[in-house]
Each structure stands twice: as structure tokens, then as C-alpha cells.
Amino acid sequence: MNRHATAVWKGSLTEGSGTLDVQSGAFARQPYSFKGRFQDEAGKSGTNPEELIAAAHAGCFAMQLSHFLAENGTPAEELDAQAVVTYGPAAGGGFEITESALKLTGKVPGIDEAKFKELAEQAKAGCPVSKALGAIKVTLDAKLA
């Protein structure tokens, strides 16, 4: 399987801007810019690569965990997964991503907290996006609703 996205950038780093398109059509010509990536903490001026990594991580993790929960005989009613990707200046210059912190609240009938956390840790370790993020710290805070 292959998935693809396209980025078009015009201009310099700080004054330029670009658009992102994804294969599925979920978004097309989505704007992104230096301001949206490095200056606008509200995230209202367009998307950015780190936000997209966070979305991919949260989505992948939730899907992996839903599989493990179903295999356990305790399918999830709802999994609310959030990923916060941390990035900032790198020691040698430029910027780097240093962490993805997963936060999960699950509605899972028939499971105890210990088993839920065990399966959530397995999903954190096993989801393909977590594996791809192996160069950074990945944390998990999981609880039942």
C-alpha cells in the first residue's frame, strides 16, 4: 500500500506560503505558512506538518487499540485519542520534533482499568505511526471514562 500527499510551496521560508493536498481528497489546497507553523499557537492560519503528524498518530493509535479491545472481547464504545506533538529549536540549529504525547479516554464496557491500560500500551507500541516516530519520545496517558 502507498499513500500520498502533495505540498506546493512558493516564496521564501518566512514570507512564502503553500498548499497541501491528500490522496483521499479529505482536504485539497489546504494552506500552510511559516506563521501557521511557528507563530500562530491558535492554529487558525492554516495547518502545519506537526499538526498532521499529531492527527496521524492519534488516528492510528485509536484504530490499533480498537482492534486489540475487540480481540479481547471488550469492543470500545468510544475512544477519544489526542496526540500533542512537541517541536522547537534544535541544538544544532533549525527545528526538531521531540515528543508525541498521546492522551486517551475510553468508553469500554466490561474491561477493568489495568487491562485497558495494558492494551493501550500495546497499541502505542504497535501502531505503525508510533513505530515511524521511533526517533522521538512517545508517551501515553490512558484512562477509562
Side-chain angles (χ1 to χ4, degrees):
M1 291 186 296
N2 293 310
R3 301 291 184 259
H4 70 265
T6 303
V8 175
W9 186 265
K10 296 178 181 178
S12 69
L13 173 63
T14 57
E15 301 301 320
S17 64
T19 58
L20 298 167
D21 297 270
V22 295
Q23 174 181 351
S24 68
F27 60 82
R29 301 194 48 77
Q30 178 64 41
Y32 76 114
S33 66
F34 182 87
K35 178 183 178 184
R37 189 171 186 191
F38 297 107
Q39 296 171 343
D40 180 12
E41 286 292 321
K44 301 300 181 192
S45 58
T47 192
N48 59 71
E50 292 76 20
E51 175 180 68
L52 297 173
I53 290 170
H57 199 195
C60 180
F61 166 72
M63 290 176 76
Q64 183 74 61
L65 179 55
S66 73
H67 174 66
F68 290 161
L69 289 165
E71 280 187 328
N72 187 61
T74 53
E77 184 178 304
E78 181 177 301
L79 298 173
D80 183 349
Q82 176 187 44
V84 177
V85 169
T86 302
Y87 69 105
F95 283 78
E96 67 182 347
I97 295 171
T98 57
E99 180 178 359
S100 183
L102 294 165
K103 184 175 181 181
L104 169 71
T105 302
K107 293 179 186 171
V108 185
I111 197 168
D112 64 42
E113 189 87 21
K115 186 65 175 181
F116 177 72
K117 287 184 176 188
E118 175 190 329
L119 294 175
E121 285 292 338
Q122 288 177 11
K124 178 190 89 165
C127 99
V129 174
S130 285
K131 290 178 181 181
L133 296 175
I136 66 169
K137 179 179 177 183
V138 176
T139 62
L140 173 62
D141 175 17
K143 66 179 181 180
L144 288 169

